[in-house]
Amino acid sequence: RTCDQLRCTACDFRVSLFNDYIWDQSCDYLFFRNNMPELSKLRAKMIKKKGARAYACQCSWRSIDALTDLQTEQRLRWVCGKH
């Protein structure tokens, strides 16, 4: 399980999540900076993958397709946005 209210402490942006998608390897910082949170623009670099989940804010992104502890990921500065 993961919090669905994640917030990035680096860019102060809400983390979006997309079930059954991963990010294309060509994604970069400028892509997310310029296109978040517009789903119509983000779809250009989303790849359908059953059981996976794509996460992104304006400064970081991650594709997950297996059980992963995101707290060990040092570059991510995502915290619960409080429910």
Side-chain angles (χ1 to χ4, degrees):
R1 293 188 97 188
T2 187
C3 174
D4 62 355
Q5 300 293 318
L6 291 173
R7 185 155 206 90
C8 180
T9 59
C11 66
D12 195 32
F13 211 76
R14 183 165 184 243
V15 177
S16 296
L17 59 99
F18 306 97
N19 290 322
D20 297 324
Y21 285 96
I22 59 173
W23 297 115
D24 186 83
Q25 290 185 4
S26 67
C27 288
D28 61 12
Y29 172 81
L30 286 177
F31 172 75
F32 291 103
R33 188 74 181 163
N34 292 329
N35 297 305
M36 282 300 285
E38 307 227 8
L39 180 58
S40 60
K41 293 180 180 179
L42 293 172
R43 284 190 190 265
K45 298 215 179 205
M46 294 171 79
I47 300 169
K48 189 96 166 139
K49 184 172 183 183
K50 186 79 172 159
R53 186 177 282 168
Y55 295 87
C57 60
Q58 275 195 326
C59 69
S60 302
W61 62 97
R62 182 78 194 264
S63 296
I64 305 292
D65 60 0
L67 187 59
T68 305
D69 184 1
L70 291 177
Q71 292 179 338
T72 63
E73 189 72 39
Q74 296 296 322
R75 68 181 180 97
L76 296 178
R77 301 206 174 164
W78 297 344
V79 297
C80 176
K82 307 290 184 217
H83 293 79

